[in-house]
Amino acid sequence: MAGATENSGLVRELGLTEAAAIGLGTMLGAGIFVLSAIAAEGAGPAATFSYILAGLVVLPTALTISELATGMPEAGGSYHLISRALGPLAGAVVGPGNWLGLTFATGFYLIGFAEYTAYFLPVPVAITAVAGGLLFAFLNYRGSKISGRVQNIIVIILVLILGYFAVRAFFSVDSSLHEPFIPFGWGAVLANVGLVIVSFTGFEKISTIAAEVKNPGRTLPLAIVGSVITATVLYAAILYTATGVISYLEMGNFQAPLVEAAERFMSSIGVFAMSIAALLATASSANAAIMASSRINYAMGRDEILPGWFSDIHPE
């Protein structure tokens, strides 16, 4: 097949933006629309520091994974890297565990996608979740190029909306809501790091599609490290501004705290945009998880941990 990698047969057709969108689209999901309120309740406005510290903790791991993935740019992500470094037994444990984790995460993302869809359409959550799963599975079936382009579009719109929210909210911050900025002490800030650090794990999904990335020696490090830095900046900006618009004592009372924050200082169009952002965040997370999990199965089929037909590639 033209353009295929020498060992896998997969085509390198994903550029930097598509690769970064896979990691960033996953990180800007529940981490900002759900955990932000929990983090604010636990550490107050200083939850901003929790996200910054979590990003700094994750960054060395991102650098390590980017180096390993660049040296072994094949499908499978952590499964492929660990099985080559520690042997097939370790891979046989990590691979199925990683796949199951992504499978359950996909279900979580699809339920969130369905719940936010219910804001716009009176459709039962179960039906929307199943329909969304079938849609994203079909996009991935059509090939990484199509699903990558869809992911790219979704994430660009999502980042623009979140960036606009942070900028607009900055000029509406009530400084009294930030006093005291660290109400529960630095211990609470550090404890929150353990909660919010899960928001940053999406960057690892980029390594699962390493066999389909153009110029992996340059693209993988930029996509992996760049997605972590971008997510950290957005998280910090949104936490700082959101806690300056809504008291951290109130944030847990709202089902969609960022949408509520937008309602405090933006027009109905802004509220609609934040609702769309929440919908896009869950959609991008589900699409990325489906893409990543299929590559793990493919890699395990290639290594004969799973039946060989898992590694079959459609001629087109």
Side-chain angles (χ1 to χ4, degrees):
M1 182 187 299
T5 61
E6 181 180 350
N7 297 322
S8 69
L10 295 171
V11 181
R12 295 195 182 277
E13 53 188 2
L14 298 177
L16 175 59
T17 54
E18 289 86 1
I22 290 169
L24 193 57
T26 306
M27 287 188 276
L28 297 179
I32 194 62
F33 287 97
V34 178
L35 289 183
S36 58
I38 300 173
E41 284 188 313
T48 304
F49 293 139
S50 298
Y51 276 97
I52 294 173
L53 290 173
L56 293 175
V57 169
V58 166
L59 190 57
T61 305
L63 290 167
T64 301
I65 288 182
S66 66
E67 183 174 359
L68 290 171
T70 300
M72 295 180 280
E74 292 295 336
S78 58
Y79 158 75
H80 178 76
L81 302 177
I82 289 175
S83 63
R84 297 309 184 269
L86 302 178
L89 179 60
V93 174
V94 171
N98 205 348
W99 177 80
L100 282 173
L102 286 171
T103 300
F104 288 122
T106 302
F108 171 75
Y109 298 143
L110 288 172
I111 291 172
F113 173 77
E115 289 179 343
Y116 281 111
T117 301
Y119 281 108
F120 305 98
L121 299 172
V123 182
V125 169
I127 293 177
T128 306
V130 172
L134 292 174
L135 171 63
F136 295 127
F138 174 75
L139 290 176
N140 280 272
Y141 167 76
R142 292 293 299 166
S144 61
K145 189 173 184 178
I146 293 177
S147 56
R149 283 178 176 174
V150 171
Q151 183 77 0
N152 199 20
I153 294 171
I154 290 175
V155 171
I156 288 174
I157 296 173
L158 175 60
V159 170
L160 289 175
I161 293 175
L162 292 178
Y164 179 71
F165 169 88
V167 172
R168 282 290 305 273
F170 179 79
F171 295 101
S172 302
V173 167
D174 182 353
S175 59
S176 65
L177 295 178
H178 280 165
E179 297 176 1
F181 197 79
I182 312 177
F184 307 118
W186 282 101
V189 173
L190 295 176
N192 246 358
V193 172
L195 169 71
V196 304
I197 201 168
V198 298
S199 306
F200 291 87
T201 57
F203 72 87
E204 194 272 336
K205 290 182 176 64
I206 300 173
S207 65
T208 65
I209 52 130
E212 297 155 272
V213 172
K214 301 175 185 176
N215 191 12
R218 175 181 180 274
T219 302
L220 288 174
L222 288 175
I224 292 173
V225 177
S227 63
V228 172
I229 294 174
T230 304
T232 302
V233 172
L234 280 173
Y235 282 145
I238 289 172
L239 259 294
Y240 177 83
T241 55
T243 54
V245 175
I246 299 180
S247 170
Y248 65 90
L249 298 173
E250 296 182 66
M251 289 188 73
N253 299 331
F254 304 108
Q255 184 177 2
L258 293 187
V259 176
E260 177 66 23
E263 190 172 359
R264 299 285 178 94
F265 67 91
M266 298 172 76
S267 64
S268 57
I269 295 178
V271 175
F272 176 78
M274 285 304 294
S275 301
I276 291 293
L279 184 67
L280 293 177
T282 51
S284 65
S285 297
N287 186 52
I290 290 173
M291 180 183 289
S293 63
S294 65
R295 272 56 178 182
I296 295 171
N297 281 345
Y298 166 82
M300 289 192 291
R302 176 196 60 203
D303 295 343
E304 299 182 349
I305 290 178
L306 291 179
W309 54 265
F310 276 95
S311 63
D312 288 346
I313 300 176
H314 193 280
E316 297 181 5

